[in-house]
Amino acid sequence: MKEVEDLIIRKLSSNDLNDFREIITQKEVARMAGFAPVSSFASFYLSQMLQNGAWGLVVNKKVVGVICIYDLPVKNGNKKTGEIGFILNQNYWYRGYMSKAIEEICSRVKEDYSQIKAITLVDNIASKKVLERNDFYFSETIMDNDKEKKHIFKKPIKLLFALIKR
């Protein structure tokens, strides 16, 4: 993996709204993450991220990406499972920032979780590669179960990856 010297990972703050808005309004970022590009709800989405302790990926004093780990319900008294989500400003794609940031975040929280999961869209090859570089393994394909579309065949829409603490 490429060395990423200028990356700073810190807690996201409400002061990051403009950079966050820039990221979530980029059409390709939104498409690859499975949401519609939005500007009007940026402060609401940012507040949701802040409640979940999201981290900002900062390059040259600009937030260029966001990583958040959401706690999933605990089953049978086990240690908690988390689901990691991440987005990156498309002007910073393919530079190693997200791979390095996920490596760092997972090492920070590894004692808190028995498992960390991630879900990507089937055609999001870059995110799959980022996860695999960070020792996530493919777990299952999530099928499109939209009954109103009345598909004869189910279409895989998302892939589930997991990182198990060793």
Side-chain angles (χ1 to χ4, degrees):
M1 174 178 24
K2 180 189 318 186
E3 214 32 59
V4 184
E5 310 253 340
D6 54 349
L7 177 66
I8 297 170
I9 301 168
R10 63 160 171 80
K11 287 294 186 178
L12 205 58
S13 82
S14 57
N15 295 329
D16 299 322
L17 179 60
N18 289 335
D19 293 341
F20 182 72
R21 179 179 286 117
E22 180 181 337
I23 296 168
I24 66 170
T25 57
Q26 292 175 330
K27 290 178 183 174
E28 274 303 292
V29 170
R31 187 178 74 78
M32 286 295 157
F35 63 85
V38 292
S39 179
S40 57
F41 294 108
S43 61
F44 171 75
Y45 290 141
L46 179 61
S47 70
Q48 295 298 306
M49 296 269 187
L50 294 175
Q51 287 178 15
N52 285 289
W55 291 273
L57 285 59
V58 181
V59 177
N60 297 324
K61 300 181 181 178
K62 176 183 180 72
V63 173
V64 300
V66 177
I67 296 177
C68 194
I69 300 180
Y70 302 92
D71 292 343
L72 298 176
V74 176
K75 296 179 182 175
N76 303 326
N78 293 333
K79 251 184 158 177
K80 62 186 174 181
T81 296
E83 181 178 320
I84 191 169
F86 50 92
I87 54 173
L88 184 66
N89 183 313
Q90 69 188 36
N91 298 321
Y92 294 83
W93 287 2
Y94 308 110
R95 296 186 191 181
Y97 290 118
M98 191 55 73
S99 290
K100 181 66 177 170
I102 288 178
E103 175 186 28
E104 175 66 26
I105 296 299
C106 287
S107 73
R108 290 182 190 184
V109 302
K110 67 181 173 187
E111 297 305 317
D112 299 334
Y113 295 96
S114 61
Q115 183 179 58
I116 299 173
K117 297 179 178 183
I119 298 175
T120 69
L121 295 176
V122 170
D123 61 346
N124 191 339
I125 306 301
S127 288
K128 288 188 272 188
K129 287 181 179 180
V130 164
L131 292 166
E132 289 167 346
R133 274 188 213 110
N134 281 284
D135 298 324
F136 282 74
Y137 67 90
F138 174 74
S139 176
E140 67 183 274
T141 301
I142 301 169
M143 304 302 278
D144 180 356
N145 290 320
D146 185 352
K147 293 182 172 92
E148 290 186 23
K149 291 183 183 176
K150 295 188 170 108
H151 290 292
I152 296 173
F153 300 98
K154 292 182 180 180
K155 175 184 171 190
I157 54 169
K158 296 181 182 177
L159 302 175
L160 177 66
F161 288 79
L163 174 65
I164 306 289
K165 189 166 75 175
R166 298 184 196 323

